[in-house]
Amino acid sequence: MKLLAKALAVVATVGGSISATQVMAEPFKVGVCYDLSKAYTFASPQVSQAAMDLAKLINTKGGIGGEPVEVIVRDHGNEPQRGIECYSKLSREGVFVFDTLSTPVSLAILPRAMEDERILMQSLVGRGDAVDGTVFDWVYPVGPTYWGQAANDVAYIKQVHDGDLSGVKIGFVYFDYPFGQEPIEILKTLSEKEGFELDLYPVPLPGSDQAGVWSKVRRDKPDHVIVWMLGGAHVVASKEMQRNRIPMEKYISVNWLNEVDIENIGNEAAKGIKRGTNVVGGPDVALRQEIMTELYEKGEGSGPIEKTQDVFYNTGLAMYSIVFEAARKAAELEGLPITPTSYKAGLESLKDFDANGLMAPITVTAEDHGGGGKTRIEMWDGAKWVPQTDWIAEYSDVVWDVVKESSSKYTQ
């Protein structure tokens, strides 16, 4: 069986190669408590399928240290109480690593995970200040927070304007609830620092009515529009932009914009649209190709192959590569069985890990649970996404000032 590239150590065994039939019965379990039925179904099926596929691939290689891994997927419907129930039930079953892919659910579980000393992963969701490991010692928002993403968007715009944002007008179109509101404080801080004008355009949920917002954008004439919306709301926005003759080149989306959205907008109509991302899109990444060969070509994939063909599947591979690489590190550092404490040490030993080029490299420490917060800006050219920047983490001093100010107010 073909081996993974060396950098994909996430699927290597510790202490020698062990066949799949020899692995011990008790697995290392990850609790995937996701919204599979309501608000986040534009992304959660792809991400959870990626998690299950990666676990299967690891088990074909002998597991981690000879132990199999298991991904337990449950639906919480984006309801905090159901998320708490999922967390509590799986905790009783021996799970101590959790992910929710939901800000409301993550916020509800966080104090319990802190008290119980269980690991709460919250990539791309949850409290932005949880990157502060000196306060949130059991919470790991590995990857860019929305604060960091927004700061990197501003850095890109500054690059476009030759390093001078004075006199530049930036619009911020956002869902008017916590997810969308998250970057506002950072954007206001950077507006004062860099001298650009910031206009805010709240969009009521579910985002199907944006006519008034984009009419106002047309009148205000911002030079760029940073957009914090999800799923079909991008399609609605694109239609309103066309109606108001606003160039698509002005649009810079949060990471939640995928190939399905582009197809619904239209490949040519979407030309020029941009997004921030922390993962490489497309099918030509090493880990996805390995999964196609070892699982899908043998009829052993965890779901329909169509779900593997957009950036949210790659996002899931990135997220769970981190989860399982930390487990591998834990077994390597402190042996088996993996415990919450050894797993925590494994996470905090990750250095420049990028899953063989799948994502921005991350380095997790006891102080920085975010891994560095790198993203890049990509532009749709009518057929593919073209990088406009390298992996960057700009304004980190500003972001960390806001992080520390916020985390200092947290009380257990």
Side-chain angles (χ1 to χ4, degrees):
M1 186 177 290
K2 186 173 67 175
L3 294 176
L4 284 172
K6 182 179 179 181
L8 287 175
V10 67
V11 298
T13 60
V14 177
S17 178
I18 300 175
S19 72
T21 58
Q22 291 175 301
V23 293
M24 296 170 61
E26 185 60 32
F28 168 74
K29 300 175 182 178
V30 181
V32 178
C33 301
Y34 275 13
D35 171 14
L36 298 170
S37 57
K38 293 185 180 177
Y40 294 108
T41 55
F42 66 90
S44 56
Q46 298 96 303
V47 176
S48 58
Q49 186 168 321
M52 291 185 286
D53 283 342
L54 188 55
K56 284 185 178 181
L57 184 63
I58 290 169
N59 287 336
T60 69
K61 306 294 182 178
I64 293 175
E67 289 189 349
V69 299
E70 180 181 357
V71 168
I72 305 172
V73 180
R74 299 288 185 268
D75 179 26
H76 58 53
N78 202 38
E79 298 175 19
Q81 186 55 45
R82 288 177 62 187
I84 291 170
E85 291 168 1
C86 178
Y87 167 83
S88 299
K89 183 176 187 300
L90 294 184
S91 291
R92 292 193 295 270
E93 297 174 8
V95 178
F96 57 82
V97 178
F98 292 88
D99 181 41
T100 71
L101 203 64
S102 161
T103 291
V105 175
S106 182
L107 293 176
I109 290 176
L110 185 148
R112 291 168 171 78
M114 293 270 283
E115 182 176 354
D116 298 341
E117 298 188 346
R118 290 183 168 86
I119 303 291
L120 176 60
M121 305 296 293
Q122 57 163 47
S123 296
L124 305 170
V125 299
R127 295 182 65 123
D129 59 357
V131 295
D132 185 355
T134 66
V135 176
F136 299 94
D137 48 349
W138 294 93
V139 185
Y140 290 83
V142 183
T145 65
Y146 292 138
W147 295 350
Q149 278 196 60
N152 290 344
D153 291 346
V154 172
Y156 163 71
I157 295 171
K158 185 177 180 179
Q159 171 188 307
V160 170
H161 290 273
D162 299 321
D164 185 5
L165 286 174
S166 58
V168 174
K169 183 184 289 189
I170 299 176
F172 181 58
V173 176
Y174 62 98
F175 273 163
D176 198 14
Y177 80 117
F179 154 74
Q181 297 160 354
E182 185 87 5
I184 291 175
E185 186 175 0
I186 285 290
L187 292 173
K188 286 182 175 178
T189 300
L190 292 176
S191 173
E192 294 175 4
K193 178 182 176 68
E194 294 287 4
F196 64 84
E197 181 180 340
L198 177 66
D199 292 333
L200 303 179
Y201 303 95
V203 174
L205 291 174
S208 54
D209 181 7
Q210 300 182 37
V213 165
W214 291 100
S215 293
K216 193 170 189 307
V217 171
R218 182 194 68 227
R219 292 192 298 270
D220 293 345
K221 295 183 173 62
D223 298 288
H224 306 271
V225 184
I226 297 173
V227 180
W228 242 250
M229 297 193 294
L230 307 166
H234 291 300
V235 182
V236 175
S238 71
K239 292 178 180 178
E240 290 297 334
M241 290 178 72
Q242 292 172 42
R243 187 174 67 84
N244 286 279
R245 299 183 180 179
I246 300 169
M248 194 61 70
E249 289 80 4
K250 292 189 175 187
Y251 199 100
I252 305 173
S253 172
V254 67
N255 63 283
W256 300 116
L257 172 70
N258 72 344
E259 286 72 8
V260 174
D261 300 322
I262 294 296
E263 183 177 345
N264 289 334
I265 293 169
N267 285 348
E268 191 62 28
K271 192 173 180 179
I273 199 170
K274 301 175 185 73
R275 71 181 178 196
T277 183
N278 70 317
V279 301
V280 176
D284 298 327
V285 297
L287 183 52
R288 184 187 180 279
Q289 290 176 332
E290 187 78 8
I291 287 172
M292 292 301 108
T293 300
E294 300 297 343
L295 298 181
Y296 284 84
E297 291 178 11
K298 299 176 181 179
E300 297 176 4
S302 301
I305 196 168
E306 292 78 13
K307 295 294 185 186
T308 73
Q309 295 171 347
D310 73 52
V311 72
F312 296 158
Y313 181 83
N314 289 11
T315 298
L317 291 181
M319 291 165 58
Y320 286 91
S321 290
I322 294 166
V323 167
F324 291 124
E325 175 68 357
R328 187 190 72 82
K329 286 280 193 180
E332 183 181 72
L333 291 168
E334 301 190 22
L336 297 173
I338 299 169
T339 67
T341 301
S342 70
Y343 187 84
K344 180 175 168 59
L347 273 170
E348 293 173 4
S349 70
L350 297 179
K351 183 176 176 61
D352 292 328
F353 179 70
D354 69 355
N356 199 26
L358 171 61
M359 62 187 185
I362 58 112
T363 296
V364 183
T365 67
E367 295 76 27
D368 179 4
H369 283 188
K374 292 182 179 179
T375 64
R376 74 183 184 192
I377 305 299
E378 298 179 337
M379 182 183 73
W380 180 255
D381 72 354
K384 63 184 181 301
W385 290 100
V386 180
Q388 303 297 293
T389 67
D390 294 328
W391 297 116
I392 58 173
E394 302 294 337
Y395 299 114
S396 58
D397 56 338
V398 176
V399 172
W400 272 95
D401 283 347
V402 176
V403 165
K404 288 292 188 180
E405 171 67 20
S406 179
S407 65
S408 69
K409 300 172 185 175
Y410 178 78
T411 55
Q412 178 67 32

